[in-house]
C-alpha cells in the first residue's frame, strides 16, 4: 500500500450549515461600540470628519464665487462653531489628537479647510472683500461707538487678568467684525488682531496667556485701537 500523500495545505473543515447559521446572522447589525460613551465618542469624531469635508467644499465654492458672501459667512461660522463645540469635550479632544494627526489617520486632503480651521474665522471676516455700507464722514456713529467699546472691553479684560482663551477669543472676534463694518482700510496693526485670533484659536478653551504674552497682546491691541481711530480721522 502506498503511504497516504500529505496535502500541501490544511483542508477546510466541513461545518454543517445548521452550525454556521447558528453563529452568523447576516441581518445582525455590526456594533462599533459596546457602551453609550463609546458610541457618543464615535459620533463626535464622525461629525468632526463631516465638518472638515464640508468646510473644504465650502471654501472651494467661495473661491469660485459659487456662493453669496453672506451665505458663506453664515455657514462657515456655524461649521467653525460646531467644530470647536465637539472638541470642547475632553474625551473627544484626546481621541482627536490634533488636526494633522486626524487627517493622516483618515487620509484626508483638505488644505482649504485646514487653513480656515487654523485661522478660526470666515474668509469674509479675515479679509473683507467689500466696502462697508457706511464709510468716512458719513460713517454710522453707532458702528464706530460699537467698535470703540469692543476695543475698550478687551483692554479692560486684559488689565484685570481675564486672559483665558475662552474670554479673549470672542472679544477679538467682536473687534474684527466691528471694525470691518466701519472701514475696509487696512489700518496700522489691524493684522495683529487676526494674528492674535490665530494664536488663541490654537489654545485650549481654559488655557491662559502667560504674563509676557498678555502684555504683548495689550500693547498690540492698544496700537490697533490707535490705528483704527487715526483711520477715521483721515477718511
Amino acid at each position: 500500500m502506498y503511504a497516504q500523500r500529505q496535502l500541501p495545505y490544511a483542508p477546510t473543515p466541513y461545518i454543517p450549515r445548521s452550525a454556521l447559521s447558528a453563529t452568523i446572522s447576516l441581518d445582525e447589525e455590526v456594533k462599533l461600540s459596546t457602551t453609550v460613551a463609546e458610541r457618543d465618542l464615535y459620533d463626535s469624531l464622525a461629525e468632526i470628519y463631516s465638518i472638515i469635508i464640508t468646510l473644504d467644499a465650502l471654501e472651494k465654492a467661495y473661491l469660485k464665487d459659487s456662493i453669496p458672501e453672506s451665505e458663506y459667512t453664515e455657514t462657515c461660522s456655524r461649521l467653525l462653531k460646531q467644530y470647536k463645540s465637539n472638541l470642547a469635550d475632553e474625551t473627544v479632544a484626546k481621541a482627536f489628537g490634533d488636526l494633522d494627526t486626524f487627517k493622516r489617520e483618515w487620509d484626508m486632503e483638505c488644505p482649504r479647510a485646514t487653513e480656515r480651521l487654523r485661522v478660526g474665522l470666515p474668509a469674509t471676516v479675515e479679509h473683507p472683500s467689500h466696502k462697508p455700507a457706511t464709510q468716512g464722514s458719513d460713517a454710522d456713529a453707532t458702528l464706530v461707538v460699537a467698535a470703540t467699546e469692543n476695543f475698550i472691553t478687551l483692554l479692560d479684560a486684559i488689565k484685570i487678568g481675564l486672559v483665558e482663551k475662552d474670554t479673549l477669543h470672542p472679544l477679538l472676534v467682536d473687534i474684527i467684525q466691528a471694525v470691518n463694518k466701519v472701514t475696509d482700510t487696512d489700518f496700522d496693526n489691524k493684522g495683529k488682531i487676526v494674528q492674535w485670533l490665530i494664536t488663541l484659536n490654537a489654545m485650549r478653551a481654559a488655557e491662559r496667556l502667560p504674563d509676557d504674552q498678555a502684555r504683548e497682546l495689550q500693547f498690540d491691541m492698544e496700537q490697533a485701537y490707535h490705528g483704527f481711530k487715526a483711520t477715521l480721522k483721515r477718511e
Side-chain angles (χ1 to χ4, degrees), residues 25 124 129 226:
S25 174
T124 47
S129 59
H226 294 323

Side-chain angles (χ1 to χ4, degrees), residues 17 56 73 88 124 131 159 163 165 182 186 188 197 211:
R17 182 176 297 275
D56 200 68
T73 303
T124 47
K131 288 184 177 295
K159 290 176 182 177
V163 291
K165 180 260 184 81
V182 176
D186 190 16
D188 291 344
L197 277 166
D211 290 343

Side-chain angles (χ1 to χ4, degrees), residues 31-141:
K31 295 182 178 180
L32 298 177
S33 58
T34 57
T35 66
V36 174
E38 285 183 347
R39 184 173 67 249
D40 290 344
L41 173 61
Y42 293 144
D43 285 346
S44 295
L45 293 175
E47 185 173 352
I48 292 174
Y49 181 96
S50 177
I51 289 171
I52 296 172
I53 295 297
T54 303
L55 185 57
D56 200 68
L58 179 68
E59 291 294 308
K60 292 177 182 177
Y62 174 68
L63 291 174
K64 295 178 180 178
D65 290 330
S66 301
I67 183 173
E69 285 194 0
S70 58
E71 184 178 344
Y72 162 80
T73 303
E74 179 183 355
T75 305
C76 185
S77 297
R78 183 173 66 253
L79 290 172
L80 292 173
K81 184 177 181 180
Q82 291 171 345
Y83 177 82
K84 295 174 183 176
S85 178
N86 276 284
L87 290 177
D89 185 288
E90 291 185 3
T91 303
V92 176
K94 183 177 180 180
F96 177 80
D98 57 59
L99 182 56
D100 289 337
T101 301
F102 187 80
K103 290 194 304 176
R104 283 196 303 270
E105 181 178 358
W106 298 104
D107 194 23
M108 303 176 71
E109 291 291 339
C110 304
R112 293 173 180 82
T114 300
E115 177 62 15
R116 191 54 45 214
L117 291 170
R118 184 185 72 85
V119 174
L121 291 171
T124 47
V125 177
E126 181 187 8
H127 301 295
S129 59
H130 63 283
K131 288 184 177 295
T134 56
Q135 187 171 351
S137 58
D138 296 327
D140 188 340

Side-chain angles (χ1 to χ4, degrees), residues 140-209:
D140 188 340
T142 302
L143 296 178
V144 175
V145 170
T148 300
E149 289 178 345
N150 288 329
F151 270 112
I152 294 174
T153 299
L154 173 65
L155 292 171
D156 286 345
I158 299 172
K159 290 176 182 177
I160 63 177
L162 299 178
V163 291
E164 295 82 4
K165 180 260 184 81
D166 56 1
T167 297
L168 297 176
H169 191 276
L171 296 178
L172 279 169
V173 171
D174 289 343
I175 288 176
I176 195 67
Q177 291 178 335
V179 298
N180 284 342
K181 291 178 181 178
V182 176
T183 178
D184 61 353
T185 302
D186 190 16
F187 54 82
D188 291 344
N189 290 289
K190 181 180 180 181
K192 291 288 187 179
I193 303 174
V194 175
Q195 290 177 14
W196 276 106
L197 277 166
I198 295 173
T199 298
L200 291 169
N201 193 53
M203 296 169 56
R204 297 186 302 275
E207 190 174 352
R208 291 172 55 89
L209 287 178

